[in-house]
Amino acid sequence: QKEVEQDPGPLSVPEGAIVSLNCTYSNSAFQYFMWYRQYSRKGPELLMYTYSSGNKEDGRFTAQVDKSSKYISLFIRDSQPSDSATYLCAMSRETGANNLFFGTGTRLTVIP
Amino acid sequence: EAGVAQSPRYKIIEKRQSVAFWCNPISGHATLYWYQQILGQGPKLLIQFQNNGVVDDSQLPKDRFSAERLKGVDSTLKIQPAKLEDSAVYLCASSIPGTGTYQQYFGPGTRLTVT
């Protein structure tokens, strides 16, 4: 069993739709949870970061962590064509222990 | 602020040949990482440096992969000899120690094709 599972998609939605991206994990030691966005032929860039359980909102993006279910989500409201990218969840056990465990990524296309 | 620089961007080699990748991290970033991202998968950490010392190389296939970070700045990753399964994008990332794992900054990657 992989430590981090993510549906690879692809996922296609019309512009303006609400997008839900999810990851599950098996290691209860994970404390730090991140979402990275990766455009084609580019390196990943950090989108959202949360510590432990809870929600975090940044503009059109909301990250949720449910440690009891070992489940994290990223919601994108009012999706735009510029949101078309691969979204990778990542997590680590503790700050300073820099080994990030990534999901496989979900490829999202927002259709104008 | 200049980002993480990597070269070359693309490389095609035959199996059993050697190849080297170069990374220049963001100025002042003491921590440097090399990741391997196979098509359709997430990045997998190969090696982590703190200045010029190795922090974690547990997932580096040491029989064929080597990496160094002389003077604690630039780094090179070498594969010798290459296998077909080494075809992937090799990503370099850097961060400032003590700021947490989430602040890793990635370069554009080197796309390696082994034929």
Side-chain angles (χ1 to χ4, degrees), chain B residues 14-33:
Chain B
E14 294 181 353
K15 60 183 179 184
R16 292 188 288 274
Q17 285 186 325
S18 302
V19 64
F21 313 127
W22 173 82
C23 172
N24 180 238
I26 294 172
S27 177
H29 285 198
T31 308
L32 184 146
Y33 317 79

Side-chain angles (χ1 to χ4, degrees), chain A:
Chain A
Q1 181 188 13
K2 291 182 181 178
E3 293 205 72
V4 182
E5 299 276 2
Q6 183 176 8
D7 186 341
L11 181 63
S12 292
V13 301
E15 183 176 353
I18 296 174
V19 176
S20 172
L21 305 168
N22 311 293
C23 288
T24 60
Y25 62 95
S26 58
N27 191 337
S28 58
F30 287 139
Q31 299 275 4
Y32 296 83
F33 304 92
M34 291 136 270
W35 287 95
Y36 280 82
R37 179 174 59 195
Q38 186 172 24
Y39 290 113
S40 180
R41 310 281 182 180
K42 303 285 188 182
E45 56 177 341
L46 182 67
L47 194 59
M48 296 285 287
Y49 159 79
T50 53
Y51 167 69
S52 196
S53 286
N55 294 356
K56 185 173 185 178
E57 188 173 321
D58 183 2
R60 296 184 295 109
F61 299 89
T62 300
Q64 288 186 350
V65 175
D66 182 349
K67 290 190 69 181
S68 63
S69 301
K70 298 189 179 68
Y71 189 88
I72 69 171
S73 300
L74 177 71
F75 298 96
I76 307 174
R77 292 184 299 279
D78 187 24
S79 56
Q80 302 295 309
S82 58
D83 296 329
S84 298
T86 295
Y87 290 80
L88 298 150
C89 63
M91 45 199 79
S92 67
R93 298 183 190 94
E94 56 189 72
T95 186
N98 292 270
N99 194 352
L100 287 179
F101 292 83
F102 283 87
T104 55
T106 300
R107 178 181 288 183
L108 171 68
T109 300
V110 181
I111 303 167

Side-chain angles (χ1 to χ4, degrees), chain B residues 43-70:
Chain B
K44 182 186 82 172
L45 181 69
L46 292 176
I47 189 167
Q48 177 192 340
F49 292 94
Q50 178 90 353
N51 295 307
N52 59 352
V54 175
V55 173
D56 183 355
D57 64 356
S58 58
Q59 298 189 88
L60 187 73
K62 298 180 186 62
D63 57 333
R64 298 184 301 105
F65 286 64
S66 64
E68 61 181 8
R69 190 182 184 198
L70 300 176

